[in-house]
Amino acid sequence: MATDTPAGVLFDVDGTLVDTTYLHTVSWWEALRQTERPVPMASVHRAIGMGSDKLLDHLLGPERDRDADGKLRDAHDTLYGEYWERLTPLPGAADLLRACAERGLRVVLATSAAEQEVAALRRALAADDVIEAVTSSADAKQSKPAPDILVAALDQSGLTAERVVFVGDSVWDVAAAGRLGIPCVGLTCGGTSRGELAGAGAVAVYDDPAALLATLDDSPVTRPR
């Protein structure tokens, strides 16, 4: 029976638990500018949440000359790396993870960030004591909106799609969860509006981790599945 299996919560990290969405936006914007491929910052922001391969396809077109992709990724990584020691958790992020664990839910970070970046995000969160498993870009062949990283998170944590909720901040998070039939709770703290997240299929939308924590026991996160 489904109720005999553990329940858990998968969390996106960038823009959901740690305040990085606009740091990624600025870093990609500058990387594109440096390689003479300027893209408006608003367009870059709306693509954040995809992996770099799909993000560049989205911004520059799939038929582009891909010879510069490696240089673009390296430039983004170098620019973004300047912020690593200053990364800041979003309001209530660590408390939300601990509250989920206290309710018997397995807490999993389902991120497609590179391993060194994941380490910086975990330092910012300072909640390793309640985290059951953490993914990285090495665990997924395709990035969101493909569901690969969520499949990896389930595999690593011993959870099943029927017994989890995913918490994310972008329409790409909602789309990835939807492909596995996982309910997605949206947070607007990554800069995506409540209407966009709900329109993409989020089952509930909150301002940030603190807002979700304030009504956690009445949220989809803790409802029996």
Side-chain angles (χ1 to χ4, degrees), residues 122-213:
R122 292 175 73 167
R123 286 195 300 272
L125 278 172
D128 276 357
D129 52 306
V130 296
I131 295 170
E132 292 275 345
V134 184
T135 62
S136 73
S137 58
D139 297 315
K141 290 184 178 180
Q142 291 193 63
S143 60
K144 289 178 288 190
D148 298 28
I149 205 66
L150 300 184
V151 173
L154 294 173
D155 289 345
Q156 291 183 22
S157 60
L159 295 167
T160 64
E162 295 76 21
R163 295 281 285 154
V164 299
V165 169
F166 182 42
V167 181
D169 70 293
S170 74
V171 295
W172 317 115
D173 293 326
V174 182
R179 293 184 184 185
L180 298 179
I182 296 173
C184 185
V185 171
L187 303 183
T188 64
C189 48
T192 300
S193 72
R194 182 176 298 269
E196 287 178 290
L197 291 168
V203 296
V205 182
Y206 301 85
D207 290 343
D208 55 22
L212 174 55
L213 175 61

Side-chain angles (χ1 to χ4, degrees), residues 40-51:
M41 201 171 292
S43 298
V44 177
H45 172 261
R46 293 179 66 82
I48 299 301
M50 295 179 171

